[in-house]
Amino acid sequence: MRTGNFTSSEIVALMKNGKKAGELGAPAIEYVNECNMERRLGRPLEGESNARATSWGTVGEKYVFSLLGLEYSAVSKDSILHPEFDFWAGTPDSVCYEEATRTVGDIKCPFTLKSFCQLVDAWERGGIAGIRDYHKDGEKFYWQLVSNAILTGCDHGELIVFAPYKHELDAIREIARHDDTGWIFYADNEELPWLHEGAHYKNLNKFRFPIPEADKQALRKRVEECSKYLVQPFLIPQTL
Amino acid sequence: MEHQVTNTLERIPVESAFAINSFEHAQRVAKMLASSDLVPKEFKGSVQNVMIALEISNRIGASPLMVMQNLYIVHGKPSWSSSFIIAALNACKRFSPLRFELTGEGDKMECYAWAFETSTNAKIVGPTVTMAMAKAEGWIDKNGSKWKTMPQLMIRYRSAAFFGRLYAPEILMGMHAQDEVVDMTAQVVGEEIQPGADLENGITVEALQALYNEKLNLLTKPEMERAKRILENKEVDSYQKLFKFLNEKQAA
């Protein structure tokens, strides 16, 4: 479902402007071209990453979900498509239902303590504006949430940033035991990121913010505009 | 703390897959076996399960492939196939090949396994298994029970398992026969899910719904709505959490 489509995690590229007002920036053009390559290939340009940071994130995400209250719902293990545009997909981690508010969440479990601290520090400096201004991936995280908010009909976004306390590592290893992430199961404590309980940084950090309707409209407009440049996807024969 | 770790490692035999000097090699072998198409599904892609099979094969002196072919994971517990138990007892050389004494028919059928102990030449007799026992233990009434369709085979298998557990527990390593585990527990055999055992961790939708109904008057409105949402949308990932939450919900 993600192959050849605009996905929330990469959609920030489409929001980059060129030198003239309203002109597509170079990253936007490159991203559209990459989507078209995937459409012609009928397969993703890059395979699934087996990098440690990725598998740590996957296992961590499962653990974090167990810490969240019943108001949080794991949306789906699969990607979801925009109800009107079949070239727009995303994989939100959670949706939180609280009275009149619906919040789409993205769980971040950085593999390095430095990344974890950079994200928390950026929020502490200025909320979501701080993350967008001071974190190297801040814009990417923001537009990913805006995109997923559109796909799920949410009005708030939430970055859930997690690093475990030392005593939580065993529970995470237990999850890893059932996944194909044996290295976490066998890893020493010092090979994994963990925090001292009671120090400055907390394990579970929930950074929630309202998503302006204007940003949703701007993203929708830009996605529609870029979709004009998408080619027809290669239909994979059933026998292959 | 460090001292304790050293002691633990020292207690593991040198030839064990978990011994410190062979662990890395065993892990590589396990990785290779786990990627093979010839290993059963419980081991395919699971380096952890293969490591355990390697350790068992090392301890009982059988080939890893043979162990994997005959080791079943039922309800998360490793168990032997009955035919493997008989083969292992026959091959251990402590006894003559296992024999069965079967008497009676239908509900009156009984069976025990016996063999000669090679060191003393004494006849060793295992516990008698009866159809009355099978009925009383509920083995016959299980869904899909083989006791209904092939009682003569099942009674022999069970006799062999009882014999092995009594006279050669070190060969079975404390594990039961696969069909024993199936008889003694309910719901899941391998990946096969019986009706009623809907989803994760043995929690059924029915059990969760029943618990929800039972605790309904203790829930606040938002709690009720959340529980209802999880059940109605079949949010499997939240079943465990909801089960725990409802279980802990007590009257104020």
Side-chain angles (χ1 to χ4, degrees), chain B residues 108-122:
Chain B
K108 303 283 178 206
M109 190 158 50
E110 322 188 325
C111 181
Y112 61 83
W114 64 272
F116 290 110
E117 192 175 37
T118 39
S119 58
T120 60
N121 219 23

Side-chain angles (χ1 to χ4, degrees), chain B residues 9-29:
Chain B
L9 291 174
E10 278 172 358
R11 278 201 297 276
I12 296 171
V14 188
E15 64 275 16
S16 162
F18 297 118
I20 199 155
N21 54 351
S22 53
F23 184 80
E24 279 207 18
H25 175 69
Q27 213 179 334
R28 286 170 62 193
V29 172

Side-chain angles (χ1 to χ4, degrees), chain A:
Chain A
M1 196 187 282
R2 296 172 68 89
T3 305
N5 288 333
F6 298 139
T7 60
S8 297
S9 56
E10 301 299 328
I11 219 154
V12 63
L14 300 186
M15 298 307 288
K16 304 287 182 190
N17 291 316
K19 284 175 186 163
K20 291 180 193 165
E23 193 182 58
L24 291 181
I29 295 165
E30 190 181 344
Y31 183 45
V32 173
N33 283 337
E34 285 172 3
C35 288
N36 280 335
M37 287 174 203
E38 290 189 337
R39 285 176 165 242
R40 293 187 192 104
L41 286 166
R43 54 174 307 199
L45 285 174
E46 287 170 23
E48 282 290 305
S49 168
N50 284 320
R52 289 191 164 203
T54 309
S55 50
W56 171 257
T58 308
V59 172
E61 194 184 304
K62 286 186 183 173
Y63 179 74
V64 170
F65 190 71
S66 74
L67 299 181
L68 300 173
L70 294 176
E71 63 274 24
Y72 285 84
S73 162
V75 185
S76 166
K77 288 184 177 69
D78 303 317
S79 298
I80 51 175
L81 276 180
H82 189 282
E84 290 172 59
F85 307 126
D86 62 0
F87 47 80
W88 188 353
T91 318
D93 291 333
S94 68
V95 170
C96 179
Y97 301 86
E98 280 175 327
E99 299 188 354
T101 309
R102 275 172 68 114
T103 307
V104 67
D106 197 54
I107 300 171
K108 303 286 181 200
C109 302
F111 185 53
T112 66
L113 288 173
K114 186 177 171 185
S115 304
F116 169 81
C117 296
Q118 283 171 334
L119 208 42
V120 176
D121 291 349
W123 176 266
E124 287 176 352
R125 282 179 79 176
I128 190 61
I131 286 188
R132 294 180 70 180
D133 289 343
Y134 301 120
H135 194 278
K136 66 179 170 60
D137 291 321
E139 281 292 284
K140 181 180 174 169
F141 295 162
Y142 177 73
W143 289 106
Q144 182 178 9
L145 279 167
V146 175
S147 173
N148 281 336
I150 293 170
L151 297 176
T152 52
C154 289
D155 44 30
H156 281 67
E158 188 170 54
L159 266 179
I160 301 169
V161 184
F162 175 79
Y165 291 134
K166 196 174 184 180
H167 70 80
E168 295 177 299
L169 290 175
D170 280 344
I172 293 171
R173 284 195 183 95
E174 189 56 27
I175 295 171
R177 196 159 71 92
H178 298 289
D179 287 8
D180 191 16
T181 43
W183 71 269
I184 296 175
F185 183 62
Y186 296 118
D188 291 335
N189 285 352
E190 298 315 309
E191 292 177 78
L192 302 172
W194 57 268
L195 304 171
H196 283 293
E197 198 163 358
H200 175 77
Y201 295 102
K202 305 283 175 287
N203 61 343
L204 188 64
N205 304 272
K206 296 197 271 187
F207 303 145
R208 185 176 292 194
F209 55 92
I211 293 180
E213 194 54 34
D215 283 353
K216 284 188 181 178
Q217 292 300 332
L219 180 60
R220 184 189 161 104
K221 193 175 162 207
R222 186 50 75 91
V223 169
E224 267 191 279
E225 186 188 343
C226 291
S227 71
K228 291 174 194 157
Y229 303 106
L230 289 175
V231 298
Q232 282 301 311
F234 166 66
L235 295 174
I236 304 165
Q238 291 298 312
T239 48
L240 286 181

Side-chain angles (χ1 to χ4, degrees), chain B residues 16 26 48 71 130 197 205 223:
Chain B
S16 162
Q48 302 92 317
L71 195 62
T130 66
V205 177
E223 287 169 347

